[in-house]
Amino acid sequence: MKTALIGLGRIGWGFHLPELTKREGFAPVIVVDTSADRLAEAKQTYGVDGYTDFGEMLEREKPELVVIASPTHLHRQHAMQALRAGADVFLDKPMAVNLAEAREIAACAEECGRKLMIYQPHRVTAEAVVAKKVLESGLLGRVFMVKRANSSYNRRSDWQAFTKYGGGMLNNYGAHFIDQILYITGAEVTDIVCHRKREVSLGDADDVVKVLMNTSDNVTIDIDISQAAAFPMTPWQIFGTLGAAMVEQTPEGPAFTVRYLVPDELPPLEASDELIAKGRKYSQDASLPWHTQTFPIRPEDAKSFYDACWAYYAEDKAPLVPVSDTLRVMEIIERCHQLTPGV
């Protein structure tokens, strides 16, 4: 499958190009970047030919698949160019700078009869795979809240710090974590609350984001993203009627620790609406028979996104990330921008 990659920045250079060149099925690989130095580096490191002009590459090379890792504000232009040139498209997240552009790209793919999938790798990280096992274990009872956090202190100063390029942490990390949680929970969002701020970024885009979503199953999804956090937040917390789970560091490595109750082991308890509480106590649940189970998070739990790419583009299997799922994420991001028009 003749493949072209546009964009040799962080994700193009650090992920897409190594993944493409180590798999024979995607050969030959052609790269595109406006930097001649980066093209020379790609030639020296990976032995790939390159172009500075995307349109020229499409016309001369006629790739079957185009991987787009250019800045967000160029996604619509590059995706539609590739689709109209007869190529399938694998597009980095976020799909576009806004919902309208995302819908244009999706409509173009359908009109051209080409395949389209968005890069949402947090569906198959080791943490996500194990979190899904925790949810499916039933140990927590009815899950009513899932909290996901990503935190660091980073005075962002690159293009991702500027709204004119589609930057900001809602678009950047928000696209990852919104998709991740909706995927592992299978949730249908009914209500959204969002707060965005710019605290330490040197640009004008948000660097602190809080997204609260409620689902049709009455599950609260709580996403915290902060580039202004001097102390780390707990990355995962899952709460249910019978217990809770969180990611912790154990002597063996990171793991979900689950603390839970077994219903048959609970002591009998009756509700009383009497105003004189027995023993002046608020609760009789001070000593409950808690159990603990650990779900290790191992590197081998992660799945390969590029294996899923090959299955979709080369073997005609169902996409790991249907376009409809990505449009749902873009709808949520759009709603968050509408709720918080300024930062």
Side-chain angles (χ1 to χ4, degrees), residues 19-295:
E19 289 291 326
L20 288 168
T21 52
K22 78 181 184 183
R23 288 171 164 79
E24 293 182 1
F26 289 106
V29 177
I30 307 108
V31 292
V32 181
D33 198 280
T34 56
S35 168
D37 289 342
R38 286 183 172 183
L39 292 177
E41 186 180 13
K43 178 70 173 179
Q44 181 178 8
T45 306
Y46 293 101
V48 295
D49 293 324
Y51 289 78
T52 56
D53 186 279
F54 186 52
E56 179 187 358
M57 184 280 298
L58 290 173
E59 185 176 347
R60 293 185 61 179
E61 300 290 347
K62 295 179 173 50
E64 298 168 80
L65 173 66
V66 175
V67 180
I68 297 174
S70 52
T72 305
H73 71 297
L74 298 174
H75 283 187
R76 174 187 173 277
Q77 171 192 335
H78 290 154
M80 294 177 73
Q81 263 186 280
L83 292 165
R84 288 170 177 164
D88 293 332
V89 166
F90 179 35
L91 178 59
D92 212 279
K93 64 81 210 165
M95 189 174 181
V97 296
N98 55 47
L99 179 59
E101 288 194 0
R103 285 173 172 165
E104 282 189 74
I105 296 169
C108 184
E110 187 171 351
E111 178 185 333
C112 295
R114 307 310 311 177
K115 293 179 180 179
L116 171 66
M117 187 167 66
I118 313 304
Y119 176 57
Q120 293 287 4
H122 283 258
R123 289 188 173 208
V124 292
T125 62
E127 283 187 357
V129 171
V130 178
K132 195 171 179 66
K133 290 179 182 177
V134 171
L135 290 169
E136 293 172 348
S137 71
L139 296 176
L140 301 179
R142 181 179 59 80
V143 171
F144 59 83
M145 181 178 291
V146 179
K147 302 184 72 171
R148 184 74 170 92
N150 180 278
S151 56
S152 64
Y153 194 95
N154 184 8
R155 296 180 298 162
R156 202 74 188 246
S157 59
D158 63 316
W159 69 264
Q160 284 277 11
F162 295 90
T163 56
K164 65 182 179 181
Y165 299 129
M169 298 313 295
L170 174 61
N171 283 359
N172 189 6
Y173 288 4
H176 278 312
F177 298 131
I178 293 169
D179 178 80
Q180 182 185 60
I181 299 302
L182 297 188
Y183 174 68
I184 67 171
T185 62
E188 292 295 330
V189 173
T190 56
D191 303 289
I192 302 170
V193 176
C194 182
H195 298 281
R196 293 188 303 135
K197 302 178 181 182
R198 182 183 68 82
E199 298 296 349
V200 301
S201 168
L202 275 64
D204 64 348
D206 57 73
D207 60 356
V208 176
V209 179
K210 177 81 163 183
V211 182
L212 285 170
M213 298 177 282
N214 209 52
T215 75
S216 56
D217 295 331
N218 202 25
V219 177
T220 299
I221 297 171
D222 183 345
I223 297 175
D224 267 315
I225 302 167
S226 179
Q227 298 271 286
F231 286 107
M233 302 179 193
T234 302
W236 288 88
Q237 292 175 291
I238 305 172
F239 298 92
T241 54
L242 293 176
M246 64 185 295
V247 169
E248 295 183 314
Q249 283 293 332
T250 72
E252 292 75 30
F256 274 93
T257 299
V258 180
R259 189 178 189 228
Y260 66 98
L261 297 166
V262 176
D264 291 345
E265 296 176 355
L266 292 175
L269 183 65
E270 293 183 1
S272 173
D273 60 0
E274 295 293 333
L275 294 177
I276 300 177
K278 292 181 180 179
R280 296 185 178 89
K281 293 181 180 179
Y282 287 110
S283 172
Q284 298 179 34
D285 276 348
S287 299
L288 289 173
W290 291 103
H291 297 266
T292 301
Q293 184 170 332
T294 300
F295 290 72

